[in-house]
């Protein structure tokens, strides 16, 4: 039985807290059911692995979904209105990342959450923390097909790869790239030195599909390129501990660091290389439809020169491309000239 105090608090909240938006009674534009969009494009897509979020749905009795911001192989991200606000306060919006439920163990499902919690509390006074996405809240969403881990963040605008599309040649101009790179380096400094984490990677149209609605993402909300705020490093789903050397492949093909290709082991330097992908090495292999690691190394050498000999001595696969003195093969030299 509810106590008088609890009943009074509930009544006050109903009067003074924000009320949910009601769905508008207007027809929405729909896409053909046969058209594959958004998370349906992920390899081995299984609908039951993704939470069937709906516009205007209220999550965790607090966050009302207002738009879809994006998707990844193992999650979708939604803009939501925080209803835990007084009516006279400005509306507050958050980004809710809903993880898929296709994890073997609870530990695997919560891995990104635990890494993000560590990043959030490591050192709030470090200047680089201002350029890293930190956690506001977290909760679980149970469904008949499994539990979805949810993380709440401040909403952001568009990722750097999308920002580049605003400029000629899909390349960030130097007067924008320099300050952005400097601030991202501050964020990476925080992740590396304080958190010991390697990042490894920096009205909606809708479609009905069986028992769920697949929404198209909205990433642009009218913010001009010259009005952008600070860059923020997000998405720690593939982040790893930086205190040990790793050997597994990371990065998309054309942005892969040479130490990854050579099997020399990688740690924090892999993040610096990834940042360089938005600078002089941007689009290194973009004019070549077929990717090969040999050609990729050749193009890196054409820009930066050959890797240090001591790195080659530690690399598992160096003999594929270099001799014992560090000179690259004739085949690699021909590709470099190509």
């Amino acid at each position: 039985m509810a106590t008088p105090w609890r009943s009074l608090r509930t009544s006050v909240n109903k009067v003074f807290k924000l009320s949910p938006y009601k769905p508008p009674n207007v027809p929405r534009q729909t896409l053909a059911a046969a058209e594959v969009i958004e998370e349906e494009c992920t390899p081995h897509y299984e609908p039951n692995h993704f939470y069937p979020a709906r516009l205007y749905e209220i999550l965790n009795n607090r966050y009302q979904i207002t738009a879809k911001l994006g998707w990844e192989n193992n999650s979708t991200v939604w803009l939501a209105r925080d209803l835990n606000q007084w009516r006279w306060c400005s509306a507050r919006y958050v980004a809710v990342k809903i993880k898929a439920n296709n994890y073997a163990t609870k530990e695997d499902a919560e891995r990104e959450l635990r890494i993000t919690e560590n990043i959030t509390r490591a050192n709030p006074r470090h200047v680089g923390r201002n350029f890293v996405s930190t956690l506001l809240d977290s909760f679980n969403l149970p469904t008949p097909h499994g539990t979805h881990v949810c993380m709440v963040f401040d909403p952001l605008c568009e990722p750097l790869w999308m920002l580049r599309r605003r400029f000629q040649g899909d390349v960030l101009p130097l007067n924008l790239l320099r300050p952005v790179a400097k601030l991202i380096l501050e964020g990476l400094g925080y992740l590396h030195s304080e958190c010991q984490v390697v990042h490894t990677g920096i009205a909606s149209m809708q479609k009905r599909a069986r028992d769920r609605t697949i929404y198209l993402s909205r990433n642009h909300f009218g913010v001009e390129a010259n009005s952008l705020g600070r860059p923020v490093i997000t998405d720690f789903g593939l982040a790893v501990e930086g205190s040990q050397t790793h050997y597994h492949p990371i990065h998309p093909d054309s942005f892969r660091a040479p130490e990854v290709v050579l099997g020399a082991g990688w740690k924090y330097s892999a993040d610096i290389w990834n940042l360089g992908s938005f600078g002089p090495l941007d689009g290194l292999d973009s004019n070549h439809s077929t990717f090969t690691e040999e050609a990729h190394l050749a193009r890196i050498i054409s820009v930066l020169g050959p890797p240090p000999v001591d790195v080659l001595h530690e690399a598992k696969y160096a003999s594929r491309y270099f001799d014992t003195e560090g000179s690259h093969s004739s085949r690699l030299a021909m590709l470099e000239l190509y």
Side-chain angles (χ1 to χ4, degrees):
M1 182 177 180
T3 64
W5 167 247
R6 181 176 299 178
S7 298
L8 177 61
R9 185 173 62 181
T10 301
S11 299
V12 169
N13 285 342
K14 287 182 178 179
V15 173
F16 295 108
K17 288 294 183 72
L18 289 177
S19 299
Y21 290 134
K22 295 182 178 180
N25 292 320
V26 295
R28 296 193 183 100
Q29 184 178 359
T30 60
L31 302 174
E35 184 177 351
V36 176
I37 62 171
E38 304 275 311
E39 60 266 28
E40 292 180 308
C41 300
T42 59
H44 314 294
Y45 171 71
E46 170 54 54
N48 291 337
H49 290 164
F50 288 86
Y51 181 77
R54 305 180 309 278
L55 287 182
Y56 302 101
E57 177 182 357
I58 299 175
L59 306 177
N60 202 38
N61 296 316
R62 177 171 179 177
Y63 305 108
Q64 185 177 30
I65 294 176
T66 58
K68 185 178 184 182
L69 294 177
W71 60 276
E72 297 171 334
N73 285 348
N74 291 299
S75 65
T76 54
V77 183
W78 303 83
L79 185 69
R81 181 170 171 250
D82 187 355
L83 300 179
N84 192 24
Q85 295 279 99
W86 300 114
R87 290 180 183 270
W88 53 83
C89 294
S90 301
R92 183 194 188 203
Y93 288 86
V94 297
V96 181
K97 183 174 186 177
I98 307 178
K99 299 283 289 182
N101 61 13
N102 56 334
Y103 292 92
T105 66
K106 181 181 178 182
E107 181 180 0
D108 290 341
E110 295 180 347
R111 180 177 171 277
E112 182 179 0
L113 172 61
R114 301 303 168 219
I115 291 175
T116 309
E117 288 175 336
N118 172 45
I119 291 169
T120 300
R121 61 173 179 258
N123 184 359
R125 295 183 297 276
H126 192 284
V127 64
R129 188 178 182 272
N130 295 309
F131 310 107
V132 173
S133 184
T134 52
L135 193 67
L136 300 177
D137 190 12
S138 65
F139 56 91
N140 291 335
L141 286 176
T143 72
H145 304 290
T147 298
H148 299 266
V149 176
C150 301
M151 295 175 286
V152 182
F153 302 93
D154 285 321
L156 303 171
C157 280
E158 56 195 3
L160 280 179
W161 65 265
M162 187 174 293
L163 175 64
R164 292 187 305 172
R165 294 180 176 178
R166 301 194 190 192
F167 301 95
Q168 186 174 1
D170 289 346
V171 175
L172 293 177
L174 283 178
N175 63 339
L176 178 61
L177 179 62
R178 286 193 184 102
V180 166
K182 180 179 179 181
L183 298 179
I184 292 177
L185 283 171
E186 293 281 7
L188 289 176
Y190 173 72
L191 292 178
H192 296 169
S193 65
E194 302 295 327
C195 310
Q196 287 73 55
V197 165
V198 184
H199 186 275
T200 76
I202 311 206
S204 301
M205 293 178 66
Q206 62 180 46
K207 168 188 169 180
R208 288 294 306 179
R210 294 188 293 276
D211 60 341
R212 64 186 58 223
T213 300
I214 307 294
Y215 296 92
L216 284 177
S217 302
R218 298 182 62 185
N219 302 98
H220 181 59
F221 294 94
V223 180
E224 299 300 324
N226 59 4
S227 321
L228 297 179
R230 70 185 190 278
V232 176
I233 301 170
T234 65
D235 185 14
F236 302 102
L238 297 177
V240 297
E241 183 181 350
S243 60
Q244 58 184 351
T245 302
H246 301 271
Y247 292 90
H248 63 272
I250 55 171
H251 302 151
D253 288 343
S254 59
F255 300 122
R256 189 161 296 157
E259 59 264 41
V260 178
V261 175
L262 294 170
W266 54 268
K267 295 175 70 174
Y268 300 117
S269 62
D271 281 344
I272 307 303
W273 178 271
N274 205 14
L275 175 59
S277 299
F278 288 95
L281 300 177
D282 181 26
L284 201 60
D285 298 311
S286 58
N287 296 324
H288 301 266
S289 58
T290 302
F291 173 86
T292 67
E293 292 184 336
E294 192 174 37
H296 183 58
L297 279 176
R299 292 175 196 122
I300 291 174
I301 292 172
S302 70
V303 176
L304 300 177
V309 175
D310 59 331
V311 172
L312 295 179
H313 287 166
E314 299 294 328
K316 296 180 180 179
Y317 312 123
S319 60
R320 297 178 182 177
Y321 315 107
F322 300 89
D323 61 26
T324 55
E325 296 180 354
S327 298
H328 49 286
S329 67
S330 57
R331 165 68 178 165
L332 207 59
M334 292 177 62
L335 287 171
E336 181 183 340
L337 291 173
Y338 175 70

